[in-house]
Amino acid sequence: MLVRHLWQLYEPLHAVTYFAPEARGAYESAGLRGYWRGYFAGRAAPLGAAAAGPVTALFFSFAPAMVARAVPDIWQRATPEQALAARLEGAEAALRAVLPDEPARWARAADLLEAAAQAAATDGRALGAANAALPRPSGVLARLWQAATVLREHRGDGHIAALVGAELTGCQALVLRDAVHGGREQTQPNRGWTDSEWDAAARALVQRGWLDDEGRPTTTGTAALRDVETHTDRLAAQPWSALRSEEQTDLVRTLAPLTRAAEAVVPYPNPMGLPRAG
């Protein structure tokens, strides 16, 4: 499906903000030492100095206790404005370090992604709306990164809506994904859930008939996760109507070498559940 393939192409461009040393260095220079301080500050900053409750709700899959260790302490270390400046500076430097030196390709990708991002309807999508409301940066790589970020948060908001519609909690969503695709050893610690919380979520899925007594996914559970992903794609499709069919094809072709370069700094597998674009 084109919508999912486009996500696999632009998400690595956004994800350099989580994994590239340039991004980590920019956060540390802003006073946000420690990986998770930079993560929570950078991702939450478009909302302003948000409290732990809204951040937990909007990020969805993080344990409340993990969020509370970072928020609101991060706002004593850096203002949201400082965090935004650091994340853009770090992301731009990261992309410059890894992308092929093809400014014309950068500009074309930025123009097409911006067209889609500017067309994105953000009703009910708090993170997508907050990022879409930020000023348009001037540098081409900064524009490229910010457009990719608006689109990924727009898609992420829709994904959370699909999970909530399936009556899944954040932890249950991770447990079900692990049962189908694996990855608990990475996902659980990266999202801060304790063993007891993880096991309680698994028991709830057993009661629904989505896992069997051994924690394996049932046919019903596998179908439910597949339906969530399909619903996510459907909810993410709207922005791409701003591009003509030939522009969508051009975007795929333009992004492909940029994505391959950005994938060099993104671990696979990863807690985002992002596969290689292929």
Side-chain angles (χ1 to χ4, degrees):
M1 177 181 287
L2 177 63
V3 172
R4 191 174 302 183
H5 185 49
L6 284 167
W7 166 64
Q8 293 169 357
L9 288 170
Y10 68 72
E11 178 77 7
L13 300 177
H14 163 81
V16 298
T17 192
Y18 307 129
F19 303 111
E22 294 84 357
R24 176 73 175 271
Y27 285 130
E28 290 183 349
S29 294
L32 295 162
R33 297 189 179 278
Y35 176 84
W36 289 111
R37 289 192 183 106
Y39 176 90
F40 283 110
R43 198 165 169 225
L47 303 165
V55 173
T56 302
L58 294 173
F59 287 19
F60 189 71
S61 63
F62 286 87
M66 182 175 182
V67 179
R69 286 194 291 271
V71 183
D73 172 73
I74 49 175
W75 308 129
Q76 303 303 312
R77 300 170 184 272
T79 65
E81 293 75 17
Q82 290 169 328
L84 285 171
R87 79 168 191 168
L88 194 59
E89 174 189 341
E92 185 175 14
L95 290 176
R96 191 174 300 279
V98 299
L99 295 188
D101 187 16
E102 300 180 58
R105 183 183 295 275
W106 302 349
R108 181 59 174 164
D111 289 345
L112 291 171
L113 285 178
E114 279 186 329
Q118 290 165 3
T122 55
D123 311 61
R125 301 182 194 243
L127 284 173
N131 280 277
L134 295 174
R136 182 177 186 255
S138 56
V140 64
L141 288 179
R143 288 173 45 220
L144 176 64
W145 184 83
Q146 184 156 305
T149 297
V150 171
L151 290 164
R152 75 91 64 173
E153 294 293 18
H154 177 276
R155 180 185 174 90
D157 288 337
H159 183 55
I160 291 169
L163 290 167
V164 171
E167 299 181 63
L168 288 163
T169 67
C171 190
Q172 289 168 10
L174 295 178
V175 171
L176 180 59
R177 175 168 290 280
D178 168 65
V180 175
H181 298 297
R184 175 179 179 175
E185 67 284 351
Q186 184 180 53
T187 304
Q188 183 184 350
N190 271 277
R191 296 296 181 260
W193 299 102
T194 65
D195 286 343
S196 61
E197 290 168 330
W198 190 276
D199 293 344
R203 288 194 296 274
L205 293 174
V206 171
Q207 291 173 358
R208 291 185 71 173
W210 289 13
L211 299 183
D212 65 20
D213 290 337
E214 301 301 319
R216 295 183 295 257
T218 63
T219 300
T220 303
T222 301
L225 184 61
R226 184 170 59 249
D227 288 346
V228 164
E229 299 298 343
T230 299
H231 193 189
T232 298
D233 290 333
R234 188 162 62 249
L235 292 174
Q238 175 269 324
W240 304 108
S241 63
L243 303 183
R244 300 187 303 274
S245 176
E246 59 268 28
E247 289 177 319
Q248 295 174 359
T249 301
D250 187 23
L251 178 59
V252 170
R253 183 171 54 248
T254 302
L255 282 178
L258 305 183
T259 300
R260 286 194 296 271
E263 285 178 333
V265 299
V266 178
Y268 293 89
N270 51 71
M272 301 176 296
L274 173 69
R276 290 189 183 276

